[in-house]
Amino acid sequence: MSAVPQAAATEPSLSAPYRLLVVNGNTTSELTTSLASQAEAFYGDMVRIHAVTAGFGPAYIASRAEAAVAAHAVLDVVERATGEAPDGGFDACLLACFGEPGIGAVRERLDVPVVGMAEASILSAMQRGDRYAIVTVGQRWPGMLREQIRQLGLESRCAGILALPGNALDYVSRSAESALHVSRALDAAVAQGADVVIVAGAALAGYLPSLPRLPAVPIIDSYRAALAQVLALASLERAQRLSLIRPGAHS
């Protein structure tokens, strides 16, 4: 496959808006719209969002087989988006799936920061507490996430992974019933010894304001953790590039 062009035709200033590619590895376009709106609210005028949806695969990833298909779909939609992007592409890419399907391949193909929700939120959690827990939707996800955490080398500080009942997309509506399930799972995570809890997955992005109450420990929204980290990496990348182009300009 041919290399995907990444460098911008003209170097932006340090204060120019960043261009962020947000990738929904699920095929539910309504979820993509929600993720884009949340990103725009999070960043304001600092970042220009281009959100894309996987062209094939599951409506919402819930198994290893579906994750394997989604990895192909993610790489496909990333290459399409970067190939069609004006002015050379994007400053960073955010894979908005907690399972991060295809993230290694995307990082191999792009020469800009690529951030996933799991790695970003777990690293953030370890900066806020000693032992983290993960609350997510889907009965297969605890086993899948344990494999993922082992690959990242971050399993020793995991207090537990709790699976919410039902279908993940049912939680997007923020119903009172689903909010109660999430609230109880957060309490259970704390009871298992977690001193910081991650609310994980694209379907639960932006969910915290809907909860009747929160435990007395830090709660991390995995999508917002990824939004924060990808901006940090993009700004670092830009500052370093500009310092090389104009030595001494930022000293």
Side-chain angles (χ1 to χ4, degrees):
M1 301 173 74
S2 60
V4 176
Q6 298 304 314
T10 57
E11 291 295 339
S13 70
L14 196 60
S15 60
Y18 294 89
R19 300 156 300 173
L20 175 62
L21 177 63
V22 175
V23 182
N24 176 15
N26 308 290
T27 58
T28 303
S29 59
E30 294 84 0
L31 188 56
T32 308
T33 301
S34 174
L35 292 168
S37 297
Q38 291 181 55
E40 289 165 355
F42 187 89
Y43 291 128
D45 295 333
M46 293 177 60
V47 179
R48 293 174 182 165
I49 305 299
H50 181 68
V52 295
T53 309
F56 57 90
Y60 197 91
I61 301 165
S63 69
R64 292 171 179 82
E66 290 176 345
V69 174
H72 179 192
V74 163
L75 183 59
D76 179 72
V77 75
V78 165
E79 293 196 327
R80 288 176 183 273
T82 52
E84 296 170 357
D87 301 325
F90 302 95
D91 296 298
C93 175
L94 192 162
L95 180 48
C97 295
F98 199 78
E100 302 177 344
I103 193 168
V106 175
R107 284 174 170 164
E108 183 177 85
R109 296 293 291 140
L110 304 187
D111 62 1
V112 298
V114 178
V115 169
M117 290 165 61
E119 189 174 18
S121 59
I122 292 171
L123 292 175
S124 298
M126 293 195 302
Q127 293 177 315
R128 297 297 312 278
D130 181 54
R131 288 176 62 75
Y132 67 90
I134 298 171
V135 171
T136 192
V137 189
Q139 296 305 305
R140 288 192 175 97
W141 272 112
M144 294 166 65
L145 291 178
R146 279 191 288 271
E147 294 172 1
Q148 187 174 356
I149 292 168
R150 281 196 296 271
Q151 291 174 353
L152 293 172
L154 303 173
E155 70 274 20
S156 64
R157 289 171 62 179
C158 181
I161 303 171
L162 292 81
L164 297 166
N167 185 296
L169 293 176
D170 293 338
Y171 284 77
V172 176
S173 66
R174 311 286 196 265
S175 69
E177 181 182 6
S178 65
L180 182 60
H181 286 313
V182 176
S183 185
R184 287 175 174 171
L186 293 177
D187 289 339
V190 174
Q192 289 185 14
D195 55 5
V196 56
V197 184
I198 300 165
V199 177
L204 297 179
Y207 205 95
L208 299 186
S210 302
L211 298 178
R213 61 180 179 81
L214 294 173
V217 300
I219 307 297
I220 293 178
D221 179 316
S222 64
Y223 183 51
R224 279 162 171 69
L227 289 172
Q229 188 182 100
V230 77
L231 178 60
L233 292 176
S235 61
L236 177 62
E237 186 90 359
R238 178 180 292 181
Q240 290 178 330
R241 188 168 67 244
L242 290 177
S243 69
L244 293 173
I245 295 170
R246 299 194 297 272
H250 305 291
S251 61

